[in-house]
């Protein structure tokens, strides 16, 4: 795909990730449910932040992680998200730009604070997210830059952002701009609980303008209210031209216009932190499409990126993924 300034523009929650290690006892003492995302208020996030040990503070959020992954692979990525004019907003802006992602959404001054997530990683590699949804959830049509949308080969939408009517309107605006410009639109369902809240609207959006759908196994089962993966796969094939279904150690299934491609998971020696695995799979797959790879090759690049990220702490690769991908033959 050519003729655009960016390979992908991602739209999602702009969240500062604060990543630290802890033991199970810390989670128990603070009543944090292990392995899931817990929404917390201002007081709760402040209490946990004070109690946790040293952490790494980086720009995060699912779609932002995908954009950074594409940049690490050598792609051209942009991000649209909302931050406040505060300390964490400045951290987000500096970090995502340093990762090679174009980010020009103006910061907002006022009482609302930049969103942040305390990600506590236990020795078994499980991550427990305690997320304060600050100003990022208030993204609306004013933040959607038509020029950026029109100049991206693929527009990638984060399902987590779908809770407010203003964000839904922004998504539909982005879809409309992209479709009129002849660009492809991708959506990630983000979380099974998110799907439960917005099933009907997700299905309407998928059927009306989404060309690429990303979902893990629990999300796609939730979308179609079934416990049978093959039934969900059959139904999603009727609703979107391209569905990318990830299944952890089972690999992934890619479905497009009657074609089914199964991609094995990349072997890893040890799971250190599962933060960002799905986000980086999407990064690899989307960059593969930007390079005009076939579905199997794009899936293998996605599996490679996901495997690399779960072998370290956090959703930012400690080395340039493009270098590793070239060494291992995933990109030329």
């Amino acid at each position: 795909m050519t003729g655009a300034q960016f390979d992908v523009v991602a739209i999602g929650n702009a969240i500062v990730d604060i990543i630290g290690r802890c033991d199970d006892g810390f989670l128990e003492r603070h009543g944090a449910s292990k392995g899931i995302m817990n929404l917390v208020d201002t007081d709760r996030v402040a209490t946990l932040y004070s109690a946790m040990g040293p952490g790494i503070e980086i720009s995060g959020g699912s779609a932002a992680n995908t954009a950074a992954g594409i940049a690490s692979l050598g792609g051209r990525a942009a991000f649209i998200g909302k931050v406040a004019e505060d300390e964490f907003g400045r951290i987000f802006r500096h970090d995502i730009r340093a990762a090679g992602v174009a980010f020009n959404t103006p910061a907002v001054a006022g009482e609302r604070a930049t969103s942040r997530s305390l990600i506590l990683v236990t020795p078994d590699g499980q991550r427990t997210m305690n997320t304060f949804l600050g100003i990022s959830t208030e993204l609306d049509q004013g933040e959607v830059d038509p020029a950026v949308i029109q100049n991206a080969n693929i527009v990638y939408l984060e399902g987590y952002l779908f809770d407010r009517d203003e964000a839904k309107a922004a998504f539909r605006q982005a879809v409309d701009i992209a479709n009129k410009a002849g660009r492809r639109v991708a959506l990630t369902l983000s979380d099974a609980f998110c799907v439960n809240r917005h099933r009907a609207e997700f299905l309407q959006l998928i059927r009306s303008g989404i060309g690429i759908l990303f979902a893990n196994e629990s999300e796609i089962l939730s979308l179609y209210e079934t416990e049978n993966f093959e039934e969900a796969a059959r139904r999603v094939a009727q609703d979107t031209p391209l569905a990318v279904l990830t299944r952890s150690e089972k690999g992934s299934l890619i479905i497009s216009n009657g074609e089914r491609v199964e991609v094995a998971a990349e072997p890893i020696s040890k799971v250190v932190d599962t933060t960002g695995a799905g986000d980086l799979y999407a990064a690899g797959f989307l960059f593969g499409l930007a390079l005009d790879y076939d579905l199997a090759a794009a899936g293998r690049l996605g599996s490679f990126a996901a495997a690399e990220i779960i072998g370290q702490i956090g959703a930012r690769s400690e080395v340039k993924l493009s270098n590793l991908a070239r060494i291992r033959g995933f990109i030329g």
Side-chain angles (χ1 to χ4, degrees):
M1 294 181 285
T2 58
Q5 181 182 1
F6 302 109
D7 296 312
V8 177
V9 56
I11 304 177
N13 281 303
I15 300 175
V16 174
D17 285 343
I18 305 164
I19 306 168
R21 291 185 178 275
C22 73
D23 56 22
D24 288 348
F26 182 91
L27 299 181
E28 293 170 4
R29 288 193 300 275
H30 290 276
S33 300
K34 181 178 178 179
I36 66 172
M37 192 270 283
N38 308 285
L39 291 178
V40 297
D41 60 19
T42 307
D43 292 339
R44 173 74 166 158
V45 76
T47 298
L48 287 170
Y49 186 55
S50 297
M52 69 184 288
I56 302 169
E57 298 180 350
I58 58 174
S59 58
S62 176
N65 290 338
T66 296
I70 290 166
S72 184
L73 285 163
R76 302 163 300 159
F79 177 72
I80 295 173
K82 197 163 191 171
V83 297
E85 187 59 74
D86 58 13
E87 176 188 0
F88 286 108
R90 288 186 285 275
I91 289 171
F92 184 95
R93 182 179 302 280
H94 175 271
D95 189 75
I96 198 165
R97 287 176 171 174
V101 177
F103 176 61
N104 296 305
T105 309
V108 179
E111 295 182 0
R112 293 285 282 163
T114 296
S115 305
R116 50 199 182 274
S117 182
L118 307 185
I119 303 174
L120 302 171
V121 183
T122 42
D124 58 1
Q126 286 293 312
R127 84 270 195 256
T128 301
M129 296 185 290
N130 301 275
T131 302
F132 166 64
L133 291 178
I135 201 170
S136 71
T137 62
E138 297 180 8
L139 183 138
D140 58 31
Q141 295 181 70
E143 278 77 50
V144 176
D145 186 339
V148 174
I149 301 297
Q150 292 163 352
N151 282 287
N153 278 318
I154 301 172
V155 179
Y156 179 73
L157 307 175
E158 175 190 317
Y160 277 129
L161 196 59
F162 211 64
D163 276 327
R164 298 179 72 251
D165 288 341
E166 293 85 351
K168 294 173 187 176
F171 271 20
R172 295 188 178 101
Q173 178 192 24
V175 171
D176 183 61
I177 294 169
N179 286 338
K180 287 178 178 177
R183 305 307 188 186
R184 303 176 76 176
V185 182
L187 169 71
T188 175
L189 293 182
S190 295
D191 185 273
F193 294 107
C194 189
V195 175
N196 287 336
R197 292 194 298 274
H198 306 295
R199 182 176 294 107
E201 288 178 291
F202 272 149
L203 283 169
Q204 190 277 331
L205 183 65
I206 291 164
R207 291 165 179 164
S208 64
I210 299 300
I212 308 166
L213 179 69
F214 289 89
N216 65 24
E217 187 163 359
S218 65
E219 292 157 7
I220 202 67
L221 293 178
S222 175
L223 184 66
Y224 292 104
E225 298 183 275
T226 179
E227 296 182 0
N228 186 305
F229 178 77
E230 285 301 322
E231 170 65 12
R234 181 188 67 78
R235 292 175 65 182
V236 75
Q238 300 172 349
D239 285 339
T240 186
L242 175 55
V244 184
L245 310 179
T246 56
R247 308 184 72 189
S248 299
E249 70 277 0
K250 297 177 186 176
S252 56
L253 174 64
I254 303 163
I255 307 170
S256 178
N257 299 319
E259 179 184 5
R260 288 170 55 107
V261 178
E262 294 192 31
V263 178
E266 280 291 299
I268 59 171
S269 57
K270 181 182 179 181
V271 174
V272 175
D273 175 16
T274 55
T275 303
D279 304 334
L280 269 292
Y281 182 100
F285 188 89
L286 291 171
F287 187 52
L289 291 186
L291 295 174
D292 289 326
Y293 285 4
D294 62 30
L295 297 179
R300 288 193 294 271
L301 186 56
S303 291
F304 155 77
E308 287 301 319
I309 218 65
I310 64 178
Q312 63 174 59
I313 291 286
R316 294 287 189 276
S317 180
E318 295 167 356
V319 298
K320 288 285 287 183
L321 287 174
S322 57
N323 295 336
L324 292 177
R326 286 192 182 93
I327 290 170
R328 296 179 57 182
F330 290 104
I331 60 178

